Amino acid sequence: MASAPEGPRAPALVTGAGGFIGGHLVAQLLARGRAVRAVDVRPTCAWQQHFPAAENRRLDLREADSARAAADGVEEIFHLAADMGGVGFLGSHRADCMVSTLIDTHLLLAARDARVRQFFFASSACVYPLGAQVSTDCAPLAEADAYPADPEDGYGWAKLFSERMCRHFREDHGLETRVARYHNIYGPHGAWDGGREKAPAAICRKVAHAQLTGSGEIELWGDGRQLRTFTHIDDCVAGTLLVAEGPHADPVNIGSAERVTIDELVTLVEEIAGIEPLVRRHLLDAPQGVRARSSDNTLVRERYGWEPSTRLRDGLASTYRWVRDQVEARQRSTSRH
Ligand code: NAD
């Protein structure tokens, strides 16, 4: 008997599509020929990227009805919406970060009720215990290290809670959930000023500003010896799709294994900008996050034969160009008014 012709595939829902990672993910899904419903609480004019080929909707996913409308008729969900930012934002918006569990809860319930095939959740390296990140001698963080739990206050607890909720929706309701723990994602089209920006974009902005004004100096949060890994957006999107499409349900790191201190990051950006080393003013009272955090990629290599591979110098080059363009455009528009 001839099989019935397949109808068009239902769309994939991307939440937080107006944000940094969501925008890049929508672009990649569209490039693969997927229909996409893109949802964000911000008006589309404020989205980092906006693609007319997607069905773009403004919805506040803290509300149950909005979550149901977003999930209605989609095949799978890439859930990235969250109220978040860099270390300065996280330390002063703990309640707001925890309110994001409302979004996660309503969306999981909506996905279950709409019989969505699969639910991907964007978690974070902030779920790892603070005690495992106190010195540069600390080992890279492997997935099993998340317990016993002592995550970042506010944001880390919210992500860890929602990771577990994903697991229990899978076990109790048969909803196929997938979870990735992102480690410091950077690249063009991310927040670069205004308080939500992360270290790579903030440092690109400060170096660009020093270059454009000839100030010769830069202010840095902390003593510059904090250790981090930074993961390029292309690796983040590739890892997201691998994890979402793969068979493994428990959380997996998406993080570069290339470790740098903040001072080394500044040196890289100065070299990319082609400027003389700036005078560094280290602000020791400013927020600086954990002492050392990096990603153990054993599990992602074993499971997917893959790990992030973009060299920091290469990824920063395009990020710096993009941030410098934003700084220049801002300066031009300020000088006109
Ligand atoms: P982002 O802030 O650029 O994007 C998040 C988007 O969610 C924003 O556009 C925001 O408007 C939207 N949003 C917030 N509240 C909403 C609501 N109530 N309803 C609908 N939309 C809402 O952040 P990002 O860097 O793109 O991060 C995406 C996801 O990845 C987040 O869940 C974040 O916690 C996670 N993550 C990011 C990083 C990173 O380095 N960028 C690291 C770890 C985890």
Side-chain angles (χ1 to χ4, degrees):
M1 197 174 73
S3 58
E6 279 186 30
R9 233 175 128 181
L13 167 65
V14 177
T15 74
F20 167 44
I21 303 171
H24 285 278
L25 182 61
V26 170
Q28 184 59 29
L29 289 167
L30 290 172
R32 289 174 160 211
R34 287 288 278 132
V36 176
R37 179 177 297 157
V39 167
D40 203 285
V41 71
R42 292 186 281 164
T44 47
C45 61
W47 291 18
Q48 303 280 5
Q49 300 186 81
H50 169 238
F51 301 94
E55 177 197 346
N56 299 301
R57 297 185 65 177
R58 182 183 185 186
L59 291 168
D60 183 345
L61 297 168
R62 287 169 297 191
E63 293 167 11
D65 287 349
S66 299
R68 271 195 289 274
D72 184 41
V74 303
E75 179 184 319
E76 62 194 319
I77 295 179
F78 294 89
H79 172 35
L80 283 81
D83 200 359
M84 61 91 64
V87 64
F89 179 87
L90 298 185
S92 54
H93 293 78
R94 294 200 170 104
D96 292 336
C97 289
M98 297 208 77
V99 168
S100 289
T101 57
L102 260 186
I103 309 178
D104 308 338
T105 308
H106 287 144
L107 212 53
L108 278 164
L109 287 166
R112 179 198 64 184
D113 296 346
R115 300 186 180 284
V116 166
R117 181 178 61 79
Q118 192 162 287
F119 186 100
F120 170 90
F121 176 61
S123 187
S124 165
C126 289
V127 301
Y128 288 114
L130 296 172
Q133 307 174 71
V134 290
S135 100
T136 49
D137 297 331
C138 287
L141 296 157
E143 287 77 355
D145 297 335
Y147 295 95
D150 179 24
E152 164 120 15
D153 204 358
Y155 178 68
W157 276 111
K159 288 292 188 189
L160 198 61
F161 170 81
S162 293
E163 279 191 4
R164 285 190 86 84
M165 200 161 38
C166 285
R167 174 176 145 193
H168 296 310
F169 267 72
R170 190 179 74 251
E171 292 168 348
D172 295 358
H173 301 303
L175 175 64
E176 279 299 327
T177 55
R178 301 286 181 269
V179 177
R181 292 181 182 151
Y182 295 155
H183 289 244
N184 284 324
I185 315 302
Y186 74 96
H189 299 290
W192 59 278
D193 76 343
R196 289 181 186 257
E197 63 277 20
K198 308 267 178 64
I203 287 169
C204 286
R205 185 196 71 226
K206 290 176 184 183
V207 171
H209 186 261
Q211 185 172 34
L212 293 166
T213 61
S215 74
E217 63 172 34
I218 185 170
E219 279 186 353
L220 299 169
W221 288 6
D223 65 4
R225 294 198 287 272
Q226 313 94 295
L227 190 73
R228 293 287 183 278
T229 55
F230 297 103
T231 311
H232 190 259
I233 183 65
D234 290 350
D235 288 324
C236 174
V237 170
T240 296
L241 292 169
L242 268 180
V243 171
E245 289 161 2
H248 305 287
D250 42 335
V252 63
N253 284 333
I254 303 287
S256 165
E258 189 179 344
R259 292 150 51 110
V260 286
T261 64
I262 295 297
D263 271 341
E264 288 165 346
L265 180 67
V266 176
T267 302
L268 271 176
V269 178
E270 288 169 344
E271 287 170 5
I272 288 163
I275 58 171
E276 292 294 312
L278 299 165
V279 174
R280 298 178 187 187
R281 292 207 289 120
H282 291 106
L283 305 182
L284 301 182
D285 293 337
Q288 48 187 295
V290 294
R291 192 65 185 155
R293 171 180 293 159
S294 60
S295 178
D296 181 321
N297 288 344
T298 310
L299 191 67
V300 79
R301 273 198 306 271
E302 275 172 13
R303 285 182 171 177
Y304 301 99
W306 174 91
E307 68 181 307
S309 59
T310 306
R311 287 176 57 230
L312 185 58
R313 180 181 291 277
D314 298 336
L316 277 177
S318 57
T319 308
Y320 180 74
R321 276 196 302 279
W322 184 83
V323 173
R324 194 191 137 115
D325 286 349
Q326 312 311 305
V327 174
E328 274 186 309
R330 170 78 53 82
Q331 284 189 349
R332 275 197 303 276
S333 86
T334 323
S335 64
R336 271 202 301 272
H337 295 110

